[in-house]
Amino acid sequence: MPALTLTHLSRTFANGTAALGDLSATIADGAFVSLVGPSGCGKSTALRIIAGLDEPSAGAIEWQGARPEIGFVFQEPTLMAWASAGRNVALPLELEGVARAAAAAQARTALANVGLAGFEKSLPRELSGGMRMRVSIARALVAEPGALLMDEPFAALDEFTRAKLNDDLLALWTAQRFTTLFVTHSVFESVYLSQRIIVLSGRPGRVVADIANPAPYPRGQAYRTSPEFNAVARDVLAALTEAHG
Ligand code: ADP
């Protein structure tokens, strides 16, 4: 069953910038799909439109049934500096009317799910970049969203931390099966994570390839250098190269 159908989405801003040219895709319920393309091709714009934070200039978005709760993770963890990790995660729930004690309990569970049990009271500045991103993921998942939209969430992290967060994200996705749209400009990250990679051209972004990755999960370290991985990465690179010359 498709969770989400995007039909000829495009977005031209008031200043005349044509950001997104043509994005059509049907995303299955519970799928993990990456959007790959060069900077400025409209990937963030597409995510913002799907999240309902922006409107397309043309085209349509259709969710199966009602639009689900959506979690959003940005490249910057965007935590409130004055608030503990626990409060940062609990606040969205409190804003929805959940009582403070119940929200704190849910936040504790969400932090434990991202490997941060016991860090509820830590302030963002006391945490590493990877841990701050974990808090941001916990905040996105605390309300148990049906869909998770991620906008280059790991781009600022070192390689090792990034690989660890890739695996931890996949473990969460395998357990909870939220429909995931993951924006990255790393071909290798997109292949490692996804069941499917949608490749966009340069601005205005349009779909130039839609590549399936049938490798089973869990994928693990050995997969990163396997012939199966390389075959899909080669296809994604070829599509990008063809689109950009
Ligand atoms: P990506 O995520 O692929 O790097 P974006 O979706 O962030 O690309 O941006 C696509 C293009 O649209 C960029 O050239 C960007 O500068 C431009 N853009 C983004 N938001 C706005 C806006 N609100 N007004 C005008 N131009 C914008």
Side-chain angles (χ1 to χ4, degrees):
M1 291 290 267
L4 171 64
T5 305
L6 311 173
T7 313
H8 298 304
L9 283 189
S10 68
R11 179 71 168 106
T12 300
F13 290 106
N15 66 0
T17 302
L20 190 61
D22 185 359
L23 174 57
S24 293
T26 298
I27 313 288
D29 190 26
F32 197 120
V33 178
S34 282
L35 275 181
V36 184
S39 286
C41 78
K43 302 183 296 297
S44 303
T45 300
L47 280 197
R48 289 175 50 78
I49 289 172
I50 294 165
L53 302 171
D54 189 15
E55 293 286 328
S57 305
I61 307 165
E62 203 179 330
W63 291 93
Q64 184 81 22
R67 198 177 84 172
E69 176 96 33
I70 294 176
F72 209 125
V73 178
F74 302 91
Q75 182 174 339
E76 294 300 324
T78 63
L79 303 177
M80 292 172 291
W82 49 267
S84 67
R87 284 287 287 159
N88 266 286
V89 177
L91 212 64
L93 293 175
E94 290 178 28
L95 292 173
E96 284 177 17
V98 178
R100 192 160 172 162
Q106 276 179 257
R108 203 158 37 244
T109 303
L111 283 169
N113 285 344
V114 297
L116 289 181
F119 287 93
E120 297 82 12
K121 294 201 159 59
S122 302
L123 289 169
R125 70 174 136 78
E126 296 166 336
L127 302 173
S128 68
M131 291 164 94
R132 285 199 289 272
M133 181 47 70
R134 287 173 187 278
V135 175
S136 177
I137 294 171
R139 182 181 53 191
L141 293 179
V142 71
E144 299 183 356
L148 181 64
L149 309 181
M150 306 186 86
D151 193 356
E152 299 194 33
F154 308 141
L157 302 176
D158 67 81
E159 195 83 15
F160 178 78
T161 305
R162 188 172 187 162
K164 182 79 179 81
L165 276 160
N166 284 171
D167 285 331
D168 292 351
L169 171 63
L170 286 181
L172 285 167
W173 170 74
T174 304
Q176 299 178 23
R177 249 1 226 265
F178 34 78
T179 304
T180 305
L181 272 178
F182 189 96
V183 160
T184 178
H185 49 226
S186 164
V187 169
F188 302 107
E189 185 171 54
S190 74
V191 174
Y192 185 72
L193 292 173
S194 319
Q195 296 173 306
R196 182 175 162 201
I197 302 106
I198 296 174
V199 182
L200 295 175
S201 69
R203 191 176 69 227
R206 61 187 169 77
V207 177
V208 293
D210 191 333
I211 296 166
N213 181 1
Y217 297 90
R219 289 184 171 172
Q221 204 52 32
Y223 174 64
R224 287 187 185 275
T225 49
S226 68
E228 295 77 24
F229 177 92
N230 286 330
V232 180
R234 197 162 44 233
D235 286 351
V236 176
L237 275 169
L240 275 171
T241 308
E242 198 178 311
H244 306 295

